[in-house]
Amino acid sequence: MKIWPLAALLTLSGQTVLLSCSSDDDETVSPAPQQPVVINCVKPDYLKAGDKVALISPSYFTPMENVEKTADVLRSWGLEPVIGPNVGKLVDGRYAGTVAERVSDIRWALNDPSIKGIVCNRGGYGTIQLIDQLTLAELKASPKWLVGFSDISTLHGLWNRAGVMSVHGTMSSFLAKGGTDETSTLMRDLLLGQLPNYVLPAHKQNIAGKASGVLVGGNLCTFAPNLGSQADATKGKDLILFVEEVEESMHNIDRQMRILQMNGVLDRCKGVILGEFTDCGTEFTYESVEAMLHELLKDYNIPVLCGFPAGHGDVNLPLVMGAPVTIEVRDDAAVVQFGIEGNQRVVQTADITAAQTPVAARLFMAGKRETAW
C-alpha cells in the first residue's frame, strides 16, 4: 500500500478520495494576479439652465418632504427636477422600494433622453443588491452625471467601470436644508461646468509627493466588498484612491484596507486621498484613523493627502469620480486638480471648513444623524 505523505485518505461509498495537504517543502503556488483594467471615462455634458434632473432613491427610503425641498433647490438653480416613479415607497422598513423598483428608476432616468443628470436622495444601504441587475453597456450608452455619496459609492464604481464620470457629492437629505452652503453650491457649479481646484492646508499625516491617476473609491465599507464585481473600479490601474468612512471601528477600517492591499489595489495606486473619518473608533492608541493609515501606506512611496473635507462630516465637497486627477502634497499645503475640460476655480478648503455651520453635529445631537446620509 502506498503511503501518501501529509495526506489523508477518506472512503466515501466505497471510493477512496485523496485529501492532499501541503508541507513546508512543497512549492508555494500563489494565485495569479488579477490583470488591471483600463478605466477611461467620458465626461457627461455639463448641465445648463432648463435641463431636467432626476431624483431617485437607490438605497434607503427618504421622506418625500426632503425630496420636494430638494426639488425646490434644483429649481432655484435653474434646473427642472423630475422625481422617480418609485420614490417615496418603503419596503422592509428601510429600503426605498424593492430591488426591481430601485433598478427601474435608474433605468427610467438613463433611458429618458430629456433627463440630463441624476441626483440620489440618500445612501444608507442597498446598492450592492443592484450590481448584477444593471449592465455596463446600458450605463455607457447613456452617459449622465450621477451624484451621491456613502452607499452610492457602489454606483460610482459601476459608472466608472462603464466608462462614465460621476460626482461624489451631497444628496437630497442635505440639499433639502436650503442648498446655499458651499457644499451644495460647489456641486451645483461643478454640474454647470465650473471645476474646483482644491487647495488644502498641511496635515501632519500627509506623505509628500505628486501623482496623477484616475480617481476612484468613496465610502470604504461600501466599495471594498465589491472587489471582483463589475462595480469594482479599484481594478483599474494608475489609481488615485479616495477613502472616507463614518461610525466604523479602527479595526474594521484597517481590515477593509488590508483586503484592498491583499487584492493588489494599493499596488495599483499612484496616490491616496483620505477624506473624513466621522465618529470613527478610537480603540487603538493611534491618535487618529489617518495616523493608522499613514503606517499602512508609508512604504508604498506614493503621496497621501489627508483631511480632504468630503464624506459624512459637516462639509462634503464634490469630487469627480472616474476623472483624471493630479494631487500634489507639499509640506505647506496640498492641491487637487481635475484634468478635464471646464472653467477653473481655486477653492481654499480651509476657508469653507472654518465657516461651515456644524449641521451634522446638530443632527447627531438631535438623534437624526442618519437622515444626513
Side-chain angles (χ1 to χ4, degrees):
M1 177 178 179
K2 185 172 181 178
I3 304 299
W4 295 95
L6 296 176
L9 293 174
L10 177 65
T11 301
L12 294 175
S13 302
Q15 292 185 330
T16 301
V17 181
L18 173 66
L19 302 178
S20 62
C21 303
S22 62
S23 71
D24 292 340
D25 295 329
D26 291 337
E27 181 181 354
T28 300
V29 179
S30 300
Q34 286 190 337
Q35 292 299 313
V37 299
V38 176
I39 296 180
N40 184 17
C41 296
V42 300
K43 178 188 68 59
D45 292 335
Y46 289 121
L47 304 183
K48 60 183 184 301
D51 277 349
K52 290 183 179 179
V53 176
L55 292 170
I56 64 170
S57 299
S59 303
Y60 274 175
F61 166 81
T62 305
M64 284 303 297
E65 179 183 6
N66 284 350
V67 179
E68 294 290 355
K69 287 180 179 178
T70 299
D72 290 340
V73 169
L74 294 181
R75 291 187 191 99
S76 75
W77 293 352
L79 303 170
E80 182 181 343
V82 284
I83 298 173
N86 292 297
V87 171
K89 292 186 177 180
L90 177 62
V91 171
D92 296 329
R94 289 278 187 162
Y95 295 120
T98 64
V99 168
E101 288 168 340
R102 286 178 277 141
V103 170
S104 175
D105 276 7
I106 293 174
R107 285 206 172 98
W108 159 79
L110 288 172
N111 294 335
D112 186 336
S114 70
I115 293 175
K116 305 302 181 182
I118 304 169
V119 174
C120 297
N121 289 319
R122 70 159 294 178
Y125 176 75
T127 54
I128 196 170
Q129 302 165 342
L130 314 183
I131 290 176
D132 294 331
Q133 306 298 313
L134 296 161
T135 68
L136 300 184
E138 63 185 311
L139 302 180
K140 186 175 183 178
S142 301
K144 301 179 182 184
W145 289 114
L146 171 88
V147 180
F149 73 108
S150 195
D151 193 54
I152 308 306
S153 298
T154 295
L155 299 186
H156 289 309
L158 276 170
W159 252 244
N160 299 163
R161 281 295 301 272
V164 182
M165 296 180 197
S166 55
V167 177
H168 183 281
T170 193
M171 299 180 288
S172 289
S173 294
F174 193 95
L175 290 171
K177 303 178 190 308
T180 58
D181 58 280
E182 290 267 25
T183 287
S184 302
T185 57
L186 277 172
M187 188 189 78
R188 174 202 63 194
D189 294 346
L190 192 161
L191 292 172
L192 295 174
Q194 184 164 278
L195 284 171
N197 287 339
Y198 293 115
V199 179
L200 296 96
H203 192 289
K204 66 185 298 184
Q205 301 299 342
N206 279 353
I207 298 176
K210 184 176 181 179
S212 298
V214 178
L215 185 63
V216 300
N219 180 256
L220 177 61
C221 290
T222 297
F223 75 79
N226 298 336
L227 287 176
S229 76
Q230 67 170 351
D232 179 15
T234 69
K235 194 176 179 180
K237 61 181 181 178
D238 298 335
L239 305 176
I240 302 294
L241 182 68
F242 168 66
V243 177
E244 65 85 22
E245 215 14 288
V246 60
E247 296 177 356
E248 282 294 339
S249 64
M250 275 190 172
H251 72 262
N252 199 36
I253 292 171
D254 182 77
R255 175 189 290 120
Q256 301 301 324
M257 289 295 291
R258 290 184 186 276
I259 290 172
L260 298 181
Q261 182 184 49
M262 289 184 287
N263 281 272
V265 175
L266 300 185
D267 292 321
R268 297 194 292 273
C269 287
K270 296 295 186 181
V272 174
I273 299 174
L274 299 180
E276 298 288 335
F277 292 91
T278 308
D279 299 330
C280 288
T282 57
E283 69 267 36
F284 300 130
T285 55
Y286 298 108
E287 65 180 75
S288 64
V289 173
E290 291 87 349
M292 178 179 72
L293 296 182
H294 178 106
E295 292 300 307
L296 176 64
L297 296 168
K298 66 182 182 181
D299 293 332
Y300 282 88
N301 297 314
I302 58 175
V304 177
L305 190 162
C306 298
F308 189 91
H312 292 75
D314 300 326
V315 178
N316 185 15
L317 302 186
L319 292 165
V320 187
M321 310 305 291
V325 65
T326 297
I327 64 172
E328 183 177 6
V329 183
R330 308 188 303 264
D331 291 339
D332 62 332
V335 175
V336 177
Q337 185 171 13
F338 298 101
I340 56 178
E341 170 265 332
N343 298 322
Q344 304 287 320
R345 172 192 169 189
V346 175
V347 176
Q348 298 283 348
T349 66
D351 294 341
I352 297 174
T353 55
Q356 178 67 46
T357 302
V359 174
R362 293 204 314 269
L363 286 170
F364 184 77
M365 293 300 292
K368 299 178 181 178
R369 175 61 177 273
E370 188 178 314
T371 62
W373 42 276

